Amino acid sequence: MSASGGNCWWAFDRLFKCCRQLPELPSRDVCFIGGDKESLCAGSHLIVSGREFTEGNVVWRFELETSRWFKGPSMMDPRCLFASATCGTFGFVAGGIEMGLLGAKVLNSAEKYNPETKSWESLPCMHKKRKLCSGCFMDDKFYVIGGKDEKDMELTCGEAYNKDKNTWQLLPDMLKDEDNPVAKRQSPPLLAVVNNELYCLETSSNELKVYLKNTNTWKKLGEVPVRADLHKGWGVAFKSLGNELLVIGYSSAIANGNGNCNGMTIYTCRPEAEREELRWRCIEGYKDRLNFFLLNCCVMVA
């Protein structure tokens, strides 16, 4: 994970018993260092995408085996504000914005990263152009959900890429919710999949929901213990960690005056189908190690 107030990455083990600072990313481009970056993992590679002043959108990768950073390979369609997900050792990206000489272009293209060949492979295009969308893997499919289209209109639909058929399926109204309309989601949707079930952290209410596939609706599971609403969903990590949900951010208890920590707080829980409200476990020991506003966070299975 990488937090505001620093330019380094920190790696934590699965149980958060130990951590280490990664070697400094070697880019000296001030645009890349100070600008927004996006990240995903593919096998033992950490992929960090950003923008450099001279080259435009670029990719840096950290290889766990050698503990070294390398530049490239660039995506076939360099992009930002895209959806991403990991399946096995492969990384998938779709949508986003391509920054060109004529301005910003919203994409519907998709591609896959192979860490063994260190290369990108083009995938079929999605039905919709979309930016600020989110990705996940569920039912052995790459889902791209929400975001905005080329007219800056909110999208409540999702799409699912079937690897075996090499096709996309459009899924209407995945984020349609009369109580919390999609327009309230300022950041890309905060999604995580555990035990093949999709969970969403609603940024306007700090509420956790689980997706009911049979009815295309969402069930409320109560509030999470961090304040996702402080920055409209930005700066919060919401991930799957094996058979648990992981959320990192500014503690609700601290925000309510019940704590004295200024750094990040880490919580995990094991979702259970029979339980109406989840039990969150606070991970101690790293509260003051990083600023609570996370710029990037990835889970690597290697």
Side-chain angles (χ1 to χ4, degrees), residues 61-72:
R61 74 181 189 278
F62 177 78
E63 297 186 2
L64 184 64
E65 295 93 337
T66 61
S67 193
R68 293 177 58 193
W69 289 95
F70 301 89
K71 193 169 188 179

Side-chain angles (χ1 to χ4, degrees), residues 177-277:
D177 189 330
E178 294 180 358
D179 294 330
N180 291 293
V182 69
K184 290 184 179 180
R185 295 184 176 94
Q186 301 300 317
S187 70
L190 300 178
L191 306 175
V193 173
V194 173
N195 297 327
N196 213 35
E197 299 292 339
L198 176 62
Y199 296 86
C200 176
L201 172 51
E202 173 60 58
T203 59
S204 62
S205 63
N206 304 311
E207 192 159 40
L208 181 70
K209 299 179 182 179
V210 61
Y211 180 63
L212 305 180
K213 302 174 187 178
N214 293 335
T215 59
N216 194 34
T217 57
W218 294 85
K219 176 184 176 181
K220 297 179 181 179
L221 297 175
E223 292 188 8
V224 299
V226 302
R227 292 289 304 275
D229 62 322
L230 284 181
H231 299 283
K232 300 180 180 179
W234 299 102
V236 172
F238 182 63
K239 302 288 181 179
S240 59
L241 189 65
N243 60 358
E244 293 183 310
L245 288 170
L246 168 71
V247 63
I248 306 174
Y250 192 64
S251 170
S252 300
I254 297 170
N256 294 331
N258 298 323
N260 56 6
C261 167
N262 294 319
M264 69 173 184
T265 51
I266 305 172
Y267 293 89
T268 63
C269 75
R270 183 169 298 182
E272 301 175 24
E274 307 300 325
R275 189 179 297 279
E276 288 296 320
E277 193 162 330

Side-chain angles (χ1 to χ4, degrees), residues 277-291:
E277 193 162 330
L278 303 183
R279 296 178 179 176
W280 293 92
R281 178 174 64 95
C282 182
I283 304 297
E284 302 289 347
Y286 293 102
K287 290 184 176 181
D288 296 312
R289 183 64 61 91
L290 296 174
N291 187 293

